[in-house]
Amino acid sequence: MSESRVVYLTGGAQGIGLGIAEHLLTRGDSVALTDIDAEALAECRERLGHPERLLAMVSDVRDPTQVAQSLDAAVAHFGRLDGVIHNAGLADPFQGPLESLDLATWQAYLDTNLTGAMLCAKYATPHLRRSRGAMVLMASTRALQSEPDTEAYAASKGGVVALTHALAVSLGPEIRVNAISPGWIEVGDCQKASRRTPVEHRDIDRDQHPAGRVGRPADIAAMAAFLLSDGAAFITGQNLVVDGGMTRRMIYAE
């Protein structure tokens, strides 16, 4: 396989996904990018450029027909598929107290964050078998630790971690599957115009990270690109935590 890859990326119009798309295009890859937000997609096309290597499509990861169709469109457009990054998801971790958590909210997190990952894996597998490609699923450090009132988000991301090692065992050796668990990633600069906010961090925000700063989408993008590369050929079934060391710091109440 050539170093330049064709990558299918969900949730790529904003946030971490937009940062991943920028990184992949800059390094010479081709990107088939999907998002449910048509307004954000239109803006990201302008921001990303590289029209010859970018295919941006409206698609809902909760809908198996749309997932299958967008993957087929990506392969038809670029001629092959080498990697999949499932990044689409509901990002707000807080759903309120468990006693008031309604089933529709719980199901929405599972449908987008977890079932969406499964559907991408299911319909991408035939294409990735041909290229002996790789998948990256976006989990979260909240799969490993929690704040109060985050049950739906934590459960969905914990499911992604488990799905990752199950897929790696089922699909290997032809396809490698890994997860990334981001920590605090500042995405204010990577939102559509109507949602963009100034980025401001306090000293305490930076100091709680042993790396000395809050994360950036580029940090996650670099890990995703590595996990798709030949350099990661012996890595599969893993959950890679990218959080500036934040989850390794012991906190004592005073």
Side-chain angles (χ1 to χ4, degrees):
M1 184 192 303
S2 64
E3 186 58 23
S4 178
R5 286 171 163 75
V6 174
V7 180
Y8 176 87
L9 167 66
T10 68
Q14 299 187 86
I16 288 173
L18 181 59
I20 292 172
E22 287 181 323
H23 183 83
L24 295 175
L25 289 166
T26 298
R27 68 190 298 274
D29 293 330
S30 297
V31 178
L33 179 156
T34 73
D35 203 285
I36 198 172
D37 188 328
E39 180 185 20
L41 270 174
E43 291 186 19
C44 89
R45 286 190 188 98
E46 294 296 319
R47 173 168 173 163
L48 293 173
H50 301 288
E52 75 287 356
R53 290 190 284 112
L54 175 66
L55 175 64
M57 301 171 281
V58 175
S59 184
D60 185 343
V61 297
R62 299 168 297 181
D63 185 327
T65 299
Q66 292 186 43
V67 173
Q69 289 177 343
S70 61
L71 276 160
D72 288 344
V75 174
H77 186 81
F78 291 116
R80 69 179 200 275
L81 183 67
D82 304 311
V84 165
I85 302 172
H86 175 68
N87 170 75
L90 298 180
D92 183 359
F94 298 100
Q95 297 88 60
L98 180 63
E99 295 93 326
S100 59
L101 176 61
D102 60 89
L103 186 58
T105 300
W106 169 267
Q107 196 63 52
Y109 277 84
L110 293 182
D111 287 348
T112 306
N113 297 357
L114 181 55
T115 302
M118 182 278 292
L119 291 173
C120 288
K122 175 179 179 175
Y123 292 110
T125 288
H127 305 299
L128 293 179
R129 284 196 192 279
R130 288 192 286 272
S131 63
R132 296 185 72 89
M135 297 182 198
V136 175
L137 308 181
M138 206 60 65
S140 171
T141 52
R142 291 175 184 273
L144 310 173
Q145 60 178 38
S146 291
E147 292 180 280
D149 305 328
T150 61
E151 281 74 19
Y153 186 86
S156 68
K157 293 300 189 178
V160 169
V161 172
L163 177 64
T164 296
H165 59 69
L167 289 170
V169 172
S170 297
L171 303 180
E174 292 89 357
I175 302 171
R176 294 183 300 104
V177 186
N178 291 289
I180 298 174
S181 280
W184 181 356
I185 306 298
E186 176 56 62
V187 298
D189 289 338
C190 289
Q191 303 286 12
K192 64 183 180 181
S194 62
R195 295 180 58 188
R196 203 166 299 144
T197 56
V199 177
E200 296 182 5
H201 296 131
R202 303 164 297 168
D203 288 343
I204 192 173
D205 299 327
R206 292 183 285 270
D207 291 346
Q208 65 184 296
H209 294 81
R213 63 172 174 84
V214 174
R216 306 172 184 130
D219 298 316
I220 307 305
M223 176 59 77
F226 169 68
L227 290 173
L228 295 182
S229 75
D230 294 341
F234 200 54
I235 302 174
T236 194
Q238 304 304 309
N239 175 39
L240 287 301
V241 175
V242 183
D243 70 344
M246 187 176 177
T247 56
R248 291 307 189 196
R249 183 184 290 280
M250 294 181 70
I251 304 292
Y252 291 93
E254 295 183 0

